[in-house]
Amino acid sequence: AQKVTQAQTEISVVEKEDVTLDCVYETRDTTYYLFWYKQPPSGELVFLIRRNSFDEQNEISGRYSWNFQKSTSSFNFTITASQVVDSAVYFCALTLYNQGGKLIFGQGTELSVKP
Amino acid sequence: GAVVSQHPSWVICKSGTSVKIECRSLDFQATTMFWYRQFPKQSLMLMATSNEGSKATYEQGVEKDKFLINHASLTLSTLTVTSAHPEDSSFYICSARGSSGRDYNEQFFGPGTRLTVL
């Protein structure tokens, strides 16, 4: 069975601090996709990144960076120099190539960035 | 980019009434749409997978007769909560999967519908 675990339920940081959100996944399939979504208080999910299982390159997009390590089944997300606008719930998700697109979500991490 | 809309964005209804929520893909054709429910402080829970022109596939524990899903066209899926009760109050989110290419393994999410049953 597949599973996504986000062990950090809530994280609170002060503005300008760096913060890493952890994501660990479980699957026996070799072809899969991993995602990160942001859910601000408005509720709408905002897509951040998609990574397929064959691409272990780390990615950086502005203040955001992602570290994908198949050896530890982790796909961690780091926000550098956090800002108040980063406050939201962040979800990590997994989909298998042959599952018709069904997403398996982690429990989510609520990030609070204080000024 | 791919845009998915939901209507209404929020609804308040009396217990025992039925509520219909629409999910539309505005600039692409979606052969598959998904319906999720999210309770406060919880993750998204997949309720059902809707394929155009066929019956929806419901996840275990989701009542088919209570949550009616219709996917009549490549751009529209509807979720009807029948005889709603206060415990059905939740945030309902739909998503649509692209039909081909890079979008095939990506879901595009609607803004969600907040249902409150009094």
Side-chain angles (χ1 to χ4, degrees):
Chain A
Q2 294 73 45
K3 186 178 179 182
V4 176
T5 301
Q6 294 178 254
Q8 306 147 307
T9 306
E10 297 179 8
I11 299 177
S12 182
V13 299
V14 177
E15 210 171 15
K16 297 185 182 177
E17 283 185 19
D18 298 347
V19 58
T20 296
L21 282 60
D22 298 332
C23 173
V24 174
Y25 62 94
E26 296 176 28
T27 179
R28 291 184 178 179
D29 280 48
T30 57
T31 306
Y32 52 89
Y33 296 85
L34 294 163
F35 300 81
W36 274 96
Y37 293 91
K38 173 182 180 180
Q39 187 177 41
S42 64
E44 183 165 2
L45 279 174
V46 177
F47 167 82
L48 296 178
I49 190 171
R50 180 181 78 172
R51 174 68 71 222
N52 74 57
S53 53
F54 298 108
D55 182 3
E56 281 193 80
Q57 278 192 334
N58 291 329
E59 180 154 339
I60 298 175
S61 175
R63 296 184 297 106
Y64 296 169
S65 62
W66 290 269
N67 185 343
F68 176 29
Q69 293 201 348
K70 288 176 74 172
S71 61
T72 55
S73 296
S74 65
F75 187 41
N76 296 337
F77 172 34
T78 298
I79 302 175
T80 304
S82 60
Q83 300 176 2
V84 173
V85 293
D86 295 327
S87 297
V89 180
Y90 291 85
F91 290 99
C92 179
L94 164 74
T95 188
L96 303 183
Y97 180 74
N98 61 354
Q99 271 208 332
K102 287 173 65 170
L103 277 171
I104 301 157
F105 282 89
Q107 302 91 319
T109 297
E110 183 171 5
L111 174 64
S112 176
V113 182
K114 302 189 186 309
Chain B
V3 179
V4 176
S5 70
Q6 271 184 251
H7 178 80
S9 55
W10 60 270
V11 57
I12 301 173
C13 69
K14 291 183 178 180
S15 187
T17 61
S18 294
V19 175
K20 180 186 283 188
I21 302 171
E22 291 186 350
C23 177
R24 292 180 186 274
S25 57
L26 298 184
D27 51 0
F28 68 103
Q29 294 186 330
T31 53
T32 304
M33 290 183 170
F34 302 88
W35 287 96
Y36 297 86
R37 180 167 54 182
Q38 185 181 30
F39 292 109
K41 298 285 189 180
Q42 293 189 23
S43 188
L44 282 74
M45 184 193 81
L46 179 65
M47 299 174 67
T49 302
S50 166
N51 290 298
E52 185 265 338
S54 63
K55 289 184 179 180
T57 303
Y58 290 81
E59 295 299 303
Q60 195 171 8
V62 177
E63 300 175 59
K64 302 178 186 181
D65 296 332
K66 181 163 188 63
F67 298 100
L68 301 179
I69 292 173
N70 184 283
H71 193 157
S73 76
L74 286 172
T75 59
L76 174 64
S77 176
T78 59
L79 167 68
T80 301
V81 183
T82 62
S83 187
H85 288 96
E87 57 266 29
D88 299 322
S89 298
S90 187
F91 191 53
Y92 292 87
I93 307 172
C94 75
S95 70
R97 189 179 72 169
S99 57
S100 63
R102 183 190 182 280
D103 295 338
Y104 188 69
N105 285 297
E106 186 164 338
Q107 292 184 31
F108 303 96
F109 286 86
T113 296
R114 196 165 300 280
L115 170 64
T116 302
V117 184
L118 302 176

